[in-house]
Amino acid sequence: MSDPRTVTELACAKLNLALHVRHRRPDGYHELETLFALVAHGDLVRVTLADSDSFTLTGPFAAVLAGEGDNLVTRAAARFRAAFGGGAHAIELEKHLPIASGIGGGSADAAATLRALAALHGVAQDDPRLFAIADALGSDVPACLLGRTALGRGRGEQLMPLEGLAGTPTLLVNPGVAVSTAAVFQRWDGVDRGPIGTGDLLTVARTGRNDLEPPARAVAPAIDAVLAALAAQPGVLLARMSGSGATCFALFDTHAARDLAAAALEGRGWWLAATHLR
Ligand code: C5P
């Protein structure tokens, strides 16, 4: 039987199927319209009731994150305790997602931490106070906490759930270059290229854009080769960069097409994850 004092949550990577930057705000953030989707691949967050606080990092990207010092998991836990109490916890983060890579790894970890703590302490998963904490932790944390496909506005925190594309085979590819979100937003050219359209999700995504692609490609030219390689694969419905990069994704018409693409892109030193949309 599972230990009732431990809750394990999957911290799914988030994708921006489209990301339209509309204008720069006086507070320095950018007003967005974005299609958030989650994939089944992610980090694992395990939270256990304990006598004293501890935080353990494991997994393939643990060493990279350990070098960063502060992280969103411990900040999420501190804010949860300030709002709800709940005592001490042993938290383990199993890090499978690349750091600073446009797929919301840190945001997903923070949201998974909040979900696990809520489950341990009888707080409803849709408690507005959890969303307020998520909002304070980062622009993508509310979308990760909501945990489903959604249209995001504002900084990305105003969310409207959307249906469509669940189960779509997806390949994530990262060229191994960490990209600063702030640096990419800073290089955006200030041109409003228009809103996200309406209609079925795939059409809206395909007719949309990621306005951060040009500035991200300027910061990390390795993105060019990833996007070109993904777009050239048979069976691709959509190939695009996610968030501020450098991770790019492709949606495929079949699992077989995705797996063939993953095999074709192996051996270039890129990080790959074959997964599907949730
Ligand atoms: O909200 P978060 O801390 O994740 O954002 C990181 C940085 O990305 C911000 O400091 C800001 O420079 C930039 N950003 C932005 N507009 C957004 C979201 C993030 O300019 N909507």
Side-chain angles (χ1 to χ4, degrees):
M1 230 177 70
S2 64
D3 182 350
R5 301 178 316 135
T6 296
V7 171
T8 303
E9 284 283 332
L10 182 61
C12 301
K14 70 85 200 176
L15 297 180
N16 302 87
L17 299 180
L19 197 169
H20 294 206
V21 185
R22 304 303 306 277
H23 63 87
R24 191 170 282 130
R25 310 192 322 194
D27 65 3
Y29 281 90
H30 293 76
E31 197 71 14
L32 307 178
E33 286 177 26
T34 183
L35 295 174
F36 283 116
L38 300 173
V39 298
H41 188 72
D43 299 332
L44 278 177
V45 177
R46 191 168 297 118
V47 183
T48 305
L49 298 178
D51 295 328
S52 61
D53 283 327
S54 63
F55 177 65
T56 314
L57 258 172
T58 61
F61 286 99
V64 190
L65 187 59
E68 304 262 304
D70 177 44
N71 81 74
L72 279 171
V73 166
T74 47
R75 279 161 58 195
R79 284 184 182 263
F80 182 93
R81 180 182 300 166
F84 299 102
H89 301 95
I91 304 182
E92 185 189 334
L93 171 59
E94 201 177 296
K95 195 73 202 160
H96 294 275
L97 300 173
I99 314 299
S101 71
I103 52 177
S107 305
D109 298 341
T113 303
L114 293 176
R115 279 199 303 272
L117 288 166
L120 277 171
H121 297 289
V123 174
Q125 299 284 334
D126 60 355
D127 190 310
R129 291 171 292 176
L130 284 183
F131 279 87
I133 293 172
D135 190 18
L137 288 169
S139 301
D140 286 341
V141 186
C144 292
L145 186 63
L146 183 67
R148 52 173 299 181
T149 306
L151 173 66
R153 295 180 191 275
R155 284 157 51 234
E157 83 288 5
Q158 297 164 27
L159 297 164
M160 195 181 84
L162 295 173
E163 299 294 336
L165 294 176
T168 302
T170 303
L171 182 63
L172 311 182
V173 182
N174 182 285
V177 187
V179 170
S180 153
T181 300
V184 170
F185 270 107
Q186 226 149 41
R187 280 176 171 250
W188 176 61
D189 64 5
V191 177
D192 178 6
R193 292 173 174 81
I196 277 182
T198 53
D200 76 280
L201 187 57
L202 182 59
T203 306
V204 175
R206 286 169 84 158
T207 53
R209 319 172 297 271
N210 183 345
D211 289 331
L212 296 180
E213 263 180 35
R217 292 166 87 146
V219 169
I223 293 167
D224 292 356
V226 173
L227 276 174
L230 278 175
Q233 299 306 311
V236 169
L237 303 172
L238 172 68
R240 190 163 281 161
M241 190 187 83
S242 180
S244 53
T247 307
C248 301
F249 65 90
L251 308 183
F252 289 88
D253 55 2
T254 64
H255 286 87
R258 179 204 61 193
D259 293 343
L260 282 172
L265 300 187
E266 258 177 33
R268 304 193 192 193
W270 294 343
W271 175 84
L272 305 177
T275 182
H276 60 266
L277 296 186
R278 295 199 355 145

